[in-house]
Amino acid sequence: MSKTGYYTHRDCRKHEMGPGHPECPARLDAIEDRLLVSGVADALEHREAPLASLADIELAHDRMHMAALRGLSDMLIEEEDAGGSPLIQLDTDTAMNRYTWTAALRAAGAALEATDAVVAGELENAFCGVRPPGHHATRSRAMGFCFFNNVAVGAAHALERHGLERVAVVDFDVHHGNGTQDIFWSDKDLFYGSTHQMPLFPGTGDLSETGVGNIWNAPLRAGDAGEAFREAFTSRILGPLHNFGPDLIVISAGFDAHKHDPLGGLRLVEADFMWATEAIGKAAERHCQGRIVSMLEGGYDLDALAKSVAVHVRTLMDLGS
Ligand SMILES: [Zn+2]
């Protein structure tokens, strides 16, 4: 039986972006309840997400970006303590409260420590049930509910600190990971493959966006279901992924392409997420001893999110066993 890690931290529940915001702490509660009820939780190796070091975040982000977020966080805490607002709005969708800075460091820290454990062979693979998500954060900007690009921080860490030669990120969130694409754009040691709905926020992800031959976008149309998803994933992502031959695969695991999700217009079901996880698992077994680090991104219908994560994590556990 292989070992699958589950990384999270209570600090990830303290980050909130205002009443009614879909990217809310209840997402993590729903996931963990479901993992418990389904019995999946018992077989997982539970670990606390550490705080990422600024030196590691800097592998994927400008120093100014970190300084700006930290400065805003300090200012917010000071103003709130003096009776001011508990939130600072960075854009129409993205806000910080006094816990956001720490939660964002925990989310990136989960990616780092999961990468360490998987590369060391201590865990077969890992899922990080953390928030805030990351794939919209560019090298220099927070946006779309994201502050630090967790998958990019983990991938850069694997290259720089572990000496891996090639790391792939596969992203099946309904939104395009513009931030990951931005950070990976001119680095041929990094691969980014994404299925996503177009047109939809953030507007990037066209077939013509190819970086240095390392970016593989597979846009789908609103209303597309499992068949179109599997076809695009197979032809546009799996083939190039096998050619790339990764030493580690990181998943941007967003579940907002589910048919019940309020933010997306695709019509995937749990079986499609299982299929994608198995397909990624086969690639990982062939190229990198099954090494996979999966990071939670979107997914906003709590029931669909929880069921989809349970299926995804169960499939990760079954890989290689
Ligand atoms: Zn999304």
Side-chain angles (χ1 to χ4, degrees), residues 26-312:
R27 297 177 64 229
L28 296 185
D29 296 334
I31 288 170
E32 289 184 18
D33 283 354
R34 186 79 200 179
L35 290 175
L36 275 173
V37 167
S38 62
V40 174
D42 291 340
L44 290 168
E45 173 95 8
H46 293 264
R47 298 193 174 183
E48 289 224 313
L51 295 167
S53 73
L54 296 185
D56 271 319
I57 302 251
E58 208 177 306
L59 296 172
H61 290 282
D62 291 342
R63 192 172 291 183
M64 280 300 293
H65 173 64
M66 295 184 286
L69 287 181
R70 179 163 216 166
L72 282 171
S73 179
D74 290 346
M75 188 176 88
L76 170 71
I77 291 168
E78 213 172 285
E79 286 184 3
E80 190 186 0
D81 287 346
S85 165
L87 287 178
I88 290 184
Q89 210 67 37
L90 303 190
D91 63 32
T92 51
D93 306 316
T94 313
M96 294 179 78
N97 74 354
R98 64 190 301 141
Y99 304 109
T100 302
W101 170 256
T102 306
L105 290 179
R106 295 276 181 205
L112 293 166
E113 196 127 312
T115 299
D116 290 343
V118 168
V119 170
E122 207 181 293
L123 295 172
E124 174 96 10
N125 52 41
F127 179 76
C128 301
V130 289
R131 52 185 293 280
H135 73 155
H136 296 305
T138 70
R139 197 173 280 283
S140 59
R141 187 175 165 212
M143 61 178 278
F145 317 164
C146 301
F147 300 86
F148 296 133
N149 194 308
N150 305 320
V151 294
V153 169
H157 172 84
L159 292 183
E160 296 296 321
R161 311 278 194 244
H162 290 289
L164 301 194
E165 289 179 9
R166 288 176 302 280
V167 178
V169 170
V170 176
D171 184 335
F172 51 69
D173 191 278
V174 80
H175 302 98
H176 181 242
N178 61 298
T180 313
Q181 175 169 297
D182 168 71
I183 295 166
F184 284 19
W185 187 258
S186 56
D187 191 337
K188 60 175 181 36
D189 300 333
L190 294 167
F191 170 107
Y192 179 62
S194 171
T195 51
H196 46 273
Q197 181 184 332
M198 272 190 94
L200 189 68
F201 178 89
T204 50
D206 193 76
L207 286 171
S208 64
E209 297 161 22
T210 56
V212 286
N214 63 331
I215 307 286
W216 297 87
N217 285 313
L220 298 163
R221 283 174 305 217
D224 279 349
E227 198 179 334
F229 167 74
R230 294 180 192 206
E231 209 291 303
F233 196 89
T234 302
S235 64
R236 194 71 199 158
I237 295 175
L238 289 176
L241 179 65
H242 280 295
N243 289 337
F244 179 72
D247 297 324
L248 168 72
I249 301 177
V250 183
I251 306 178
S252 261
F255 299 92
D256 43 9
H258 193 282
K259 66 178 181 178
H260 291 142
D261 196 274
L263 301 195
L266 297 184
R267 296 173 48 233
L268 302 194
V269 295
E270 288 83 338
D272 297 309
F273 295 118
M274 184 196 284
W275 175 86
T277 309
E278 280 172 352
I280 295 167
K282 279 182 200 145
E285 273 159 31
R286 182 155 136 204
H287 297 287
C288 50
Q289 304 96 55
R291 291 167 173 168
I292 296 174
V293 172
S294 178
M295 303 295 303
L296 179 65
E297 300 282 1
Y300 304 101
D301 178 274
L302 295 183
D303 190 49
L305 170 68
K307 286 179 179 159
S308 301
V309 169
V311 162
H312 174 64

